[in-house]
Amino acid sequence: MANIAEGGIPSPNIWHHPGIYEMENRAVDPDGVIEPAMRAIRDWAGATVLDLGCGTGFHLPMFAATAARVIGVEPHGELAAAARRRTRELANVEIRQGTAQQVPVADASIDVMHARWAYFFGPGCEPGLAELDRVMRRGGTAFVIDNDGSRSTFGRWFSECYPMIKAPEVDRFWTRRGWQRTALDMGWRFERREDLEAVIRIEFKPADAERIIASHTGVEVDYAINLWSKVY
Ligand SMILES: C[S@@+](CC[C@H](N)C(=O)[O-])C[C@H]1O[C@@H](n2cnc3c(N)ncnc32)[C@H](O)[C@@H]1O
């Protein structure tokens, strides 16, 4: 039995294929659109940063380079262990096993929260939002990064294959709660076609994945995302 904190939501891509998910992370945003967009909203130099649902900790070194302190929280024990291994030489990084619904940090202790394709997908994430109300410092900023199913090649694949997730409903969910949307156009860029195909196969059901692979040539995909942010 895997060691998963109560409330952890199955994420088959990274839970079952961490190596392929690592390749996906390396292919995401090859022109570096996301980080400057976040920094323009709230830079994390000198800040205490929380990465909620940090997985294997791919993004932690980037935060640790300028933050005072970085806490990665991840419900899946083996992924948390991988995040610890990745950051063992970074003295300002700590990994805690836990969830967005019960964040293992003190009240009002976080300046910048980042959740990338993790737990905060709109309707259903209210318990995690209540926890953000508790853990965010006054004046702190929370970031949520998620797919924009209304635009781009990836967005079309996503909305066709997951029709239960409706982009306008997701938008309404966040804007009603006072979150700001920054629409970003980024992409995937792989070195090898077989890597792109492997990633598509962990992101979509088998029949959908094969249809997408047959319909798309090359090693790049244009991919729209929403960067949601809120000041506490
Ligand atoms: C698609 S992965 C993204 C991982 C990481 N943010 C990244 O960009 O590499 C989603 C992550 O959310 C984690 N997760 C699942 N349920 C969660 C919860 N209730 N609270 C916080 N994280 C959760 C999963 O274990 C997984 O590591």
Side-chain angles (χ1 to χ4, degrees):
M1 261 294 271
N3 158 22
I4 293 156
E6 191 185 336
I9 295 165
S11 307
N13 49 12
I14 193 169
W15 283 20
H16 303 145
H17 310 278
I20 299 175
Y21 198 82
E22 180 80 9
M23 225 157 56
E24 176 171 348
N25 259 330
R26 285 200 298 263
V28 164
D29 193 20
D31 300 320
V33 169
I34 301 174
E35 244 188 79
M38 288 172 62
R39 283 186 205 274
I41 295 168
R42 167 69 198 250
D43 203 329
W44 46 88
T48 298
V49 175
L50 169 68
D51 190 6
L52 263 184
C54 71
T56 60
F58 188 88
H59 306 288
L60 301 178
M62 180 269 289
F63 288 118
T66 57
R69 188 169 177 218
V70 180
I71 303 167
V73 169
E74 168 56 44
H76 191 291
E78 286 172 32
L79 298 181
R84 261 179 222 117
R85 285 195 296 278
R86 191 197 292 273
T87 57
R88 70 187 149 208
E89 286 175 7
L90 302 176
N92 58 343
V93 178
E94 190 190 335
I95 311 299
R96 299 181 184 172
Q97 193 173 4
T99 64
Q101 303 94 309
Q102 269 192 294
V103 185
V105 305
D107 297 357
S109 61
I110 301 299
D111 300 308
V112 174
M113 192 290 296
H114 166 260
R116 191 177 298 213
W117 290 300
Y119 177 79
F120 293 96
F121 298 120
C125 75
E126 295 84 351
L129 293 179
E131 274 291 80
L132 292 186
D133 289 340
R134 179 182 71 78
V135 306
M136 295 303 297
R137 234 176 228 147
R138 198 177 176 81
T141 297
F143 291 109
V144 164
I145 293 173
D146 195 11
N147 300 329
D148 179 350
S150 73
R151 309 183 299 119
S152 78
T153 298
F154 187 91
R156 181 168 46 77
W157 296 345
F158 183 73
S159 55
E160 284 172 6
C161 299
Y162 299 101
M164 67 299 275
I165 300 169
K166 298 191 175 15
E169 267 174 35
V170 174
D171 285 8
R172 268 197 302 278
F173 177 89
W174 292 110
T175 47
R176 274 189 191 150
R177 287 166 177 78
W179 289 66
Q180 303 294 317
R181 174 179 175 214
T182 306
L184 297 178
D185 293 295
M186 55 115 211
W188 275 348
R189 188 181 300 149
F190 293 89
E191 280 175 19
R192 304 180 310 171
R193 172 73 190 181
E194 65 207 79
D195 296 344
L196 176 139
E197 294 184 4
V199 167
I200 288 174
R201 289 191 177 103
I202 67 164
E203 292 297 348
F204 297 97
K205 294 186 206 89
D208 290 332
E210 296 317 312
R211 185 177 48 76
I212 289 168
I213 288 168
S215 72
H216 190 83
T217 55
V219 293
E220 294 191 34
V221 181
D222 61 290
Y223 188 147
I225 58 168
N226 287 319
L227 169 64
W228 294 101
S229 60
K230 179 172 174 173
V231 179
Y232 280 77

